[in-house]
Amino acid sequence: MSDGGAGPRSDRRRSNRLAGEISPYLRLHQHNPVDWYPWGDEALSRAKDEDKPIFLSVGYATCYWCHVMERESFSDAGTAALMNRHFVNVKVDREERPDLDEIYMAATQIFTQQGGWPNSVFLTPDLEPFFAGTYFPPSDGRGRPSFKTVLLSMQNAWETRRGEVEEQGREMASAMRRMLEERGKPLDHVAPADITKASVRSLVDRYDASHGGFGAAPKFPSPANLFLLLELAGDDSKSAEMLDRTLDGMARGGLNDQLAGGFHRYSTDAAWKVPHFEKMLYDNGLLMDVYARRYGQTGDAEHARVLIETARFLSREMTGPDGELWSAIDAEVAGREGAYHVWTQVALADALGPEDAGFLAPLYGYDGPPVFDREYYVLHRPLSWGEQAERRRMPVSALLDQVEPLKARLLEVREQRPRPLVDDKVLTDWNGMAIAGLATAGAMLERPGMVDQARRAAEFVISSLRSADGTLLHSWCAGEARFEAFLPDYVFLVRGLLALHDATEEDRWLEEAADLTEQQVARLGDAADGGFFIAAESEDLLFRSKEIFDGALPATNAVAALNLLELARRGDRDRWLPEVEKTLKAFTLFTEKQPEGARMMATAVAEYHRLVAAPSDEEATRATVVNLVEQAARRLAKPVLEVGDEGADGFRPFRLEVTLKKRWHVYAHEPGLEGLTPTSVSAPGAELRDVTYPAGEDYPPKSRGADGLSARVYRDVFEIRGALKGSAELNLRYQPCDDARCLPATSVAVTTD
């Protein structure tokens, strides 16, 4: 685990077995007086040989309450003595062993009706759980037993009521098996395409129209919700509204680091202002994917800024020397959550000076009372840049020119503070999510640097996370790769490679994606019932499960289905379409009965029906294709709008400069021939006057029609000038063509940012 540049720390205390592990989370506990074991044969054999129960503690390196319990209980000599005397104590990094994490989190959810980390589970030597909870405090109080009380209670139960304990373990294992294994009972049909309507219905009921997002605090990004809304946004205005309000709220809130870029894990309040300050690679990768796809649909400049800043953050703070992407950044410094990120009024004034601090205050939400821990501010933007610029009667670009140097000054001051720890473990699945986000954003924004970030990460994973026989591996740290890949590794890496194929048109990424999917089918596929198990068969697992519920991450079987659909669309349809159908049929019953828990699977179902649309559905299929082509057409022109000062009559002069990609042209405002789409501007909600367009040039050069007229076009760069009154937004309509074809005419909104 990196400490942000502070260098290695010397520690002469006694070390336990975790000192030999590569996981940063396990190494955090290497000096505990607890006789910890990593999960493995040594610990499991000792439990059987000595007939002792197992205390299993599952967490991860940037988990705040995991750190608290480590300080309060696992570092306490008296508590450790109880643990060592009566239990075999096992530590698991949930990010290294997601298969174990899911199994034993299911136990905790059944016992307590909730979950979380650290996950604290007591097992029989046969690995069956008989009691579970999450964080336990060091002292009894507020209706919660202390960890010592729990230990003594479990010891007493094991020694005096052994039969009851073992029966409870068997019953719990049976309940967990039903919960985890019976999610997928295959039916003989795929769920209907309109399952998306049922899936989105509960989102409508829980939608926060004021701030975006769903439900009350705490509020999570929940990417599966956003991918479903992306699927529906083109045809359903309510889905588009929910998606845009949520993306806007997250981007403006404290959830998004307004100085350095990058998203924190979740918001502790409904308005996205105060985050839990961890930064996870998976959140940032998945959210880049969503913002980039929505940018492709709308051209929203706010989304473009989010993507650029998030990519810069990943490059600056979460990228290793060979392009590998690290896992997470801690929430706390020296036991204080948010200490690196939050500000007092005095600190802001010291960093900026009174005048500049006063200028930024309404822009970044510190002109009112503190929002965190009674005296601190989390920087957030109460209004969008467009709204702030309009209030100041200035272009967005001019406002940002004033803001950026002040942001840089605040970031420079912040970077002098003690930094939170960085979990420099490299996970295949999380890198795959970031590869997809970076590649998609780079393609949409035409930023080769982002695509190169994705390419370097992909090359690292493909070359460094392989066993000698070519099997994909899950985790890499300190030069060593461990653990054969789990289902999330395959599906999210394949998704990233397919996005790289889109961005680069390099066949190698498609070939790698197909090869890895073949390996996934062979190692994890359920040949009998369809779908995919999380892990390969292993003696240390109670059972194998199939993930279908969406959570912090989209359900992996749903992502597997989407990948298979993409492979069928791009190549061997006969090879991959049957795999798609087997996977979707495996979860039809669940998807139809609980669509609110399977939004990513509902998205996959809709994509499947689109791919295999019957002749009667051709119109819908054609509309989808046209929509994709229109998105491509929007990316062929880069319009920039400049608006001057308002005159006495309320009108402001404007200049719209449009840059076209090489080898493409658009028809002039007066194209010269009938049937061609003229380039034009309009201003919904505003007035236009004195609009002038360039004449254009003949196309083909020196050609003439039968009536002596020729088509006229604009190439390279052209300007449209005029004056407007009202909102500083224009709608540019054009039809892009090259020498071989014309794309459908399209429109794009252009603002001054």
Side-chain angles (χ1 to χ4, degrees):
M1 174 173 282
S2 167
D3 60 2
R9 293 168 291 180
S10 62
D11 198 324
R12 299 181 182 277
R13 291 175 292 168
R14 173 185 174 275
S15 297
N16 56 44
R17 291 173 184 82
L18 300 184
E21 293 299 302
I22 65 172
S23 159
Y25 173 65
L26 298 186
R27 293 202 309 270
L28 281 173
H29 297 77
Q30 64 182 305
H31 298 301
N32 292 162
V34 179
D35 186 16
W36 288 117
Y37 287 80
W39 183 276
D41 290 341
E42 185 181 6
L44 305 187
S45 296
R46 182 186 166 195
K48 282 186 175 292
D49 292 344
E50 298 184 10
D51 196 31
K52 281 186 175 181
I54 296 169
F55 170 65
L56 173 65
S57 178
V58 184
Y60 58 99
T62 56
C63 163
Y64 177 74
W65 288 105
C66 300
H67 291 221
V68 173
M69 195 164 177
E70 188 273 334
R71 289 192 292 267
E72 293 175 342
S73 295
F74 302 149
S75 297
D76 177 70
T79 303
L82 279 175
M83 296 173 68
N84 296 339
R85 186 177 308 121
H86 300 296
F87 303 92
V88 175
N89 302 291
V90 178
K91 259 288 171 195
V92 166
D93 182 341
R94 68 176 292 258
E95 295 167 1
E96 281 194 334
R97 292 297 302 266
D99 53 340
L100 293 172
D101 178 60
E102 184 183 31
I103 288 171
Y104 292 110
M105 183 54 68
T108 303
Q109 290 169 337
I110 292 171
F111 272 117
T112 68
Q113 303 305 305
Q114 60 185 2
W117 295 275
N119 192 19
S120 305
V121 191
F122 293 85
L123 314 176
T124 70
D126 292 325
L127 309 183
E128 295 174 334
F130 60 88
F131 184 78
T134 54
Y135 163 77
F136 292 105
S139 303
D140 296 325
R142 298 185 180 180
R144 293 177 65 95
S146 70
F147 187 52
K148 282 185 179 179
T149 297
V150 171
L151 290 170
L152 291 169
S153 177
M154 293 302 102
Q155 173 222 345
N156 179 264
W158 183 256
E159 293 179 355
T160 64
R161 294 181 286 114
R162 178 71 172 269
E164 293 177 28
V165 168
E166 291 178 333
E167 179 61 24
Q168 172 124 327
R170 286 190 290 272
E171 290 179 358
M172 177 56 59
S174 178
M176 292 161 60
R177 186 174 288 106
R178 289 194 301 272
M179 176 179 175
L180 294 175
E181 289 188 336
E182 295 184 5
R183 292 171 179 173
K185 290 186 175 180
L187 299 182
D188 62 0
H189 69 279
V190 175
D194 64 359
I195 196 70
T196 53
K197 296 178 181 177
S199 190
V200 82
R201 195 171 298 132
S202 65
L203 288 183
V204 175
D205 294 339
R206 296 171 53 236
Y207 172 56
D208 181 348
S210 298
H211 307 108
F214 305 94
K219 193 176 280 186
F220 289 79
S222 301
N225 297 345
L226 306 179
F227 282 118
L228 175 63
L229 295 176
L230 272 169
E231 171 73 22
L232 302 175
D235 301 314
D236 178 48
S237 60
K238 184 63 176 179
S239 293
E241 174 204 328
M242 292 192 294
L243 176 62
D244 290 337
R245 184 66 58 85
T246 301
L247 294 181
D248 177 63
M250 292 193 301
R252 291 190 294 103
L255 185 80
N256 182 22
D257 186 338
Q258 299 296 328
L259 297 183
F263 289 90
H264 299 288
R265 185 162 171 247
Y266 63 86
S267 175
T268 62
D269 66 310
W272 305 108
K273 286 182 182 178
V274 181
H276 178 48
F277 290 91
E278 289 171 89
K279 283 183 175 178
M280 314 299 290
L281 180 61
Y282 64 76
D283 284 322
N284 285 281
L286 290 169
L287 288 175
M288 283 194 78
D289 200 348
V290 173
Y291 277 94
R293 291 170 186 270
R294 188 56 174 161
Y295 175 81
Q297 294 173 347
T298 67
D300 190 317
E302 294 269 352
H303 296 347
R305 277 191 289 273
V306 167
L307 291 165
I308 292 167
E309 291 175 357
T310 305
R312 287 174 179 165
F313 155 71
L314 291 177
S315 176
R316 184 177 58 249
E317 299 189 33
M318 296 191 74
T319 300
D322 295 314
E324 73 275 21
L325 292 157
W326 297 331
S327 293
I329 300 177
D330 212 334
E332 65 172 18
V333 175
R336 288 182 52 226
E337 182 174 6
Y340 178 71
H341 294 91
V342 299
W343 298 84
T344 63
Q345 285 275 13
V346 171
L348 288 161
D350 287 346
L352 296 170
E355 184 177 346
D356 287 338
F359 169 71
L360 280 191
L363 298 176
Y364 282 110
Y366 60 87
D367 54 343
V371 297
F372 181 72
D373 202 17
R374 295 185 299 278
E375 60 176 315
Y376 294 101
Y377 294 89
V378 179
L379 301 185
H380 63 280
R381 293 189 288 117
L383 299 173
S384 70
W385 292 123
E387 292 168 320
Q388 293 282 16
E390 189 168 349
R391 285 189 171 192
R392 289 162 174 74
R393 305 175 74 84
M394 64 191 304
V396 171
S397 57
L399 176 60
L400 291 175
D401 285 345
Q402 296 180 39
V403 168
E404 289 301 325
L406 304 183
K407 275 179 59 178
R409 197 185 310 167
L410 287 178
L411 183 58
E412 183 179 358
V413 170
R414 195 177 83 176
E415 287 179 336
Q416 304 309 309
R417 300 173 179 174
R419 296 177 66 86
L421 296 175
V422 177
D423 182 346
D424 55 7
K425 178 171 73 271
V426 178
L427 297 174
T428 295
D429 50 346
W430 295 9
N431 269 256
M433 296 172 209
I435 290 164
L438 287 164
T440 304
M444 292 293 183
L445 297 176
E446 296 184 7
R447 286 189 168 246
M450 290 185 187
V451 177
D452 190 56
Q453 280 180 267
R455 180 188 286 107
R456 292 185 70 214
E459 288 172 344
F460 181 90
V461 172
I462 287 170
S463 63
S464 299
L465 282 108
R466 297 273 196 175
S467 66
D469 65 0
T471 301
L472 187 68
L473 299 178
H474 169 63
S475 177
W476 181 98
C477 192
E480 183 178 349
R482 288 186 178 182
F483 307 110
E484 291 188 345
F486 304 102
L487 182 60
D489 298 307
Y490 285 106
V491 301
F492 287 112
L493 179 57
V494 167
R495 182 178 175 89
L497 297 178
L498 291 171
L500 257 183
H501 178 245
D502 284 339
T504 65
E505 299 182 359
E506 296 172 6
D507 289 341
R508 62 173 293 203
W509 305 118
L510 181 58
E511 292 165 3
E512 288 280 6
D515 289 346
L516 287 169
T517 304
E518 293 283 12
Q519 191 179 116
Q520 169 194 318
V521 171
R523 289 189 63 240
L524 305 178
D526 184 343
D529 291 336
F532 298 91
F533 296 106
I534 286 180
E537 291 191 52
S538 174
E539 292 182 359
D540 65 352
L541 293 181
L542 273 177
F543 36 75
R544 301 168 79 193
S545 64
K546 298 177 185 176
E547 186 182 61
I548 178 59
F549 279 105
D550 298 313
L553 305 179
T556 47
N557 269 282
V559 181
L562 287 164
N563 290 344
L564 292 164
L565 281 163
E566 280 300 313
L567 289 169
R569 185 178 289 122
R570 298 172 197 225
D572 190 346
R573 188 181 176 109
D574 292 338
R575 168 69 187 95
W576 298 115
L577 199 55
E579 294 287 352
V580 176
E581 292 169 345
K582 280 175 60 180
T583 301
L584 295 179
K585 288 176 181 178
F587 304 107
T588 292
L589 182 63
F590 173 82
T591 307
E592 291 179 340
K593 283 192 171 183
Q594 299 187 55
E596 70 283 353
R599 296 190 177 97
M600 201 69 171
M601 188 61 78
T603 304
V605 167
E607 291 284 346
Y608 166 79
H609 285 289
R610 184 173 296 125
L611 181 65
V612 298
S616 59
D617 295 329
E618 285 180 356
E619 185 175 344
T621 303
R622 191 180 307 115
T624 300
V625 173
V626 168
N627 181 51
L628 293 172
V629 174
E630 286 180 346
Q631 290 180 35
R634 290 193 190 102
R635 298 196 294 273
L636 295 175
K638 286 187 175 179
V640 177
L641 178 63
E642 295 179 356
V643 178
D645 295 333
E646 185 176 306
D649 57 1
F651 277 88
R652 290 180 282 172
F654 73 81
R655 182 179 76 91
L656 178 64
E657 180 182 277
V658 183
T659 303
L660 300 175
K661 290 192 72 172
K662 291 180 180 179
R663 298 188 300 276
W664 289 85
H665 60 265
V666 299
Y667 291 113
H669 183 63
E670 295 182 356
L673 297 176
E674 293 184 2
L676 304 180
T677 301
T679 296
S680 62
V681 294
S682 59
E687 296 181 52
L688 288 180
R689 74 178 187 193
D690 304 329
V691 179
T692 60
Y693 298 86
E697 60 183 79
D698 289 346
Y699 181 81
K702 301 181 180 179
S703 68
R704 291 287 186 273
D707 56 3
L709 298 176
S710 66
R712 300 192 67 77
V713 301
Y714 302 143
R715 299 177 183 272
D716 300 325
V717 181
F718 64 93
E719 288 185 0
I720 302 171
R721 292 178 178 267
L724 60 82
K725 182 178 183 180
S727 175
E729 179 175 321
L730 296 177
N731 193 57
L732 173 67
R733 184 165 178 78
Y734 58 91
Q735 182 175 23
C737 306
D738 63 9
D739 291 341
R741 66 196 186 284
C742 285
L743 299 180
T746 190
S747 298
V748 61
V750 189
T751 62
T752 52
D753 56 353

